[in-house]
């Protein structure tokens, strides 16, 4: 019978290693992807998820639906609104008018640090809501209506 390495505690070592990377790099805002952790530490998905869970329990990171895990730093304000709401806000913050081209899915994915499929889903929600028009392969999405900006108190 071949001897195997005991995986107990491996997730704790990974969590400590990632936490050290966060402490050493104050500009780090996203955790490595699950696939990167699995490859880099040669562990299963379950072990990588347990490491992320430890970071969450310690208040170092938090999951973001449809996105990579985010680093949590004391005193830093994080926009936790769904991506489609943040994209809709671009229309008003960038002064886009009805009929103007909306940024591409690729540009938005890079800007918000998410995957293109995640951006595409958010854009589809905005199209269904009547905020954007067009879209699809090779077609430029345009602003159909300017959303009313809500005041937050």
């Amino acid at each position: 019978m071949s001897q195997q390495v005991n995986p107990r505690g491996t997730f704790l070592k990974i969590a400590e290693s990632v936490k050290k990377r966060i402490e050493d790099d104050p500009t780090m805002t996203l955790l490595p992807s699950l696939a990167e952790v699995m490859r880099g530490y040669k562990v299963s998905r379950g072990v990588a998820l347990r490491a992320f869970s430890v970071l969450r329990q310690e208040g170092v990171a938090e999951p973001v639906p449809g996105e990579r895990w985010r680093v949590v730093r004391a005193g830093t304000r994080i926009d936790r609104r769904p991506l489609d709401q943040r994209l809709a806000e671009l229309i008003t913050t960038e002064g886009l008018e009805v009929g103007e081209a909306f940024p591409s899915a690729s540009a938005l994915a890079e800007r918000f640090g998410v995957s293109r499929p995640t951006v595409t889903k958010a854009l589809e929600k905005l199209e269904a809501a009547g905020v954007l028009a067009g879209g699809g392969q090779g077609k430029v999405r345009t602003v159909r209506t300017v959303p009313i900006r809500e005041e937050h108190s």
Side-chain angles (χ1 to χ4, degrees), residues 60-138:
V60 174
E62 66 184 4
V64 181
E67 300 178 33
R68 287 176 41 186
W69 281 59
R70 179 177 20 232
V71 174
V72 176
R73 297 191 190 274
T76 305
R77 186 175 174 272
I78 297 172
D79 190 347
R80 289 185 169 83
R81 293 176 299 154
L83 184 58
D84 60 305
Q85 290 178 14
R86 292 186 283 159
L87 293 179
E89 187 178 56
L90 283 180
I91 296 169
T92 54
T93 59
E94 295 192 359
L96 298 176
E97 299 291 331
V98 173
E100 282 191 71
F102 197 72
S104 70
S106 297
L108 293 168
E110 186 175 323
R111 181 174 179 171
F112 288 92
V114 298
S115 68
R116 279 186 46 202
T118 299
V119 171
T120 300
K121 287 179 188 175
L123 291 170
E124 287 170 354
K125 285 183 180 180
L126 293 175
E127 286 175 17
V131 175
L132 297 177
Q137 289 188 327

Side-chain angles (χ1 to χ4, degrees), residues 43-61:
V43 295
S44 69
R45 178 179 171 83
V47 172
L49 283 170
R50 287 183 74 187
F52 281 17
S53 179
V54 168
L55 295 170
R56 181 183 195 176
Q57 289 171 349
E58 294 180 1
V60 174

